[in-house]
């Protein structure tokens, strides 16, 4: 398995919540934007990739014991969502803009 730290570095992720285990093992990934799909198919210790950034994403990630959530499309969670993620120990990340190649 790969550690969360390795994935953060390789994907240039920006952590927006601070209360998570950096050395946590990641079993895989799951991508979906519907919460119901994630609840049905995402597995424990996986990273969930979604464009959703609201508080219910934290609830699903916590319920499923996911390794974290990667939020895409330039979306950022609000302060309430970040606070809930920190309370629940859910790792939230956004994709950092990478320098364009010339």
């Amino acid at each position: 398995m790969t550690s969360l730290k390795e994935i953060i570095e390789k994907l240039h992720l920006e952590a927006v919540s601070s209360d998570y285990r950096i050395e946590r093992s990641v079993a895989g990934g799951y991508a979906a934007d519907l919460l119901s799909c994630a609840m049905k198919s995402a597995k424990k210790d996986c990273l969930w990739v979604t464009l959703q950034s609201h508080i219910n994403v934290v609830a699903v990630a916590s319920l499923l014991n996911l390794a974290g959530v990667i939020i895409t499309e330039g979306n950022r969670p609000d302060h309430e969502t970040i606070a809930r993620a920190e309370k629940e120990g859910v790792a939230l990340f956004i994709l950092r803009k990478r320098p364009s190649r010339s």
Side-chain angles (χ1 to χ4, degrees):
M1 279 196 229
T2 303
S3 75
L4 194 52
K5 180 180 180 181
E6 291 174 276
I7 293 172
I8 292 167
E9 291 170 356
K10 287 182 181 180
L11 297 181
H12 306 281
L13 300 175
E14 177 186 334
V16 292
S17 63
S18 60
D19 191 15
Y20 61 90
R21 294 178 299 137
I22 192 86
E23 295 300 332
R24 181 175 179 164
S25 293
V26 177
Y30 180 76
D33 295 321
L34 294 176
L35 299 178
S36 58
C37 290
M39 288 180 68
K40 178 182 174 202
S41 300
K43 304 296 182 213
K44 178 184 178 202
D45 297 322
C46 284
L47 275 172
W48 175 20
V49 180
T50 181
L51 60 77
Q52 302 292 341
S53 61
H54 52 76
I55 200 163
N56 291 336
V57 168
V58 174
V60 170
S62 179
L63 176 71
L64 298 177
N65 198 16
L66 299 180
V69 180
I70 300 172
I71 300 169
T72 64
E73 304 302 319
N75 294 331
R76 290 189 76 91
D78 62 23
H79 295 294
E80 180 184 10
T81 302
I82 294 169
R84 178 59 59 92
E86 290 178 350
K87 179 180 179 186
E88 299 288 330
V90 172
L92 291 181
F93 304 98
I94 58 173
L95 290 170
R96 282 190 244 172
K97 293 203 177 223
R98 296 205 290 204
S100 61
R101 295 182 185 178
S102 301

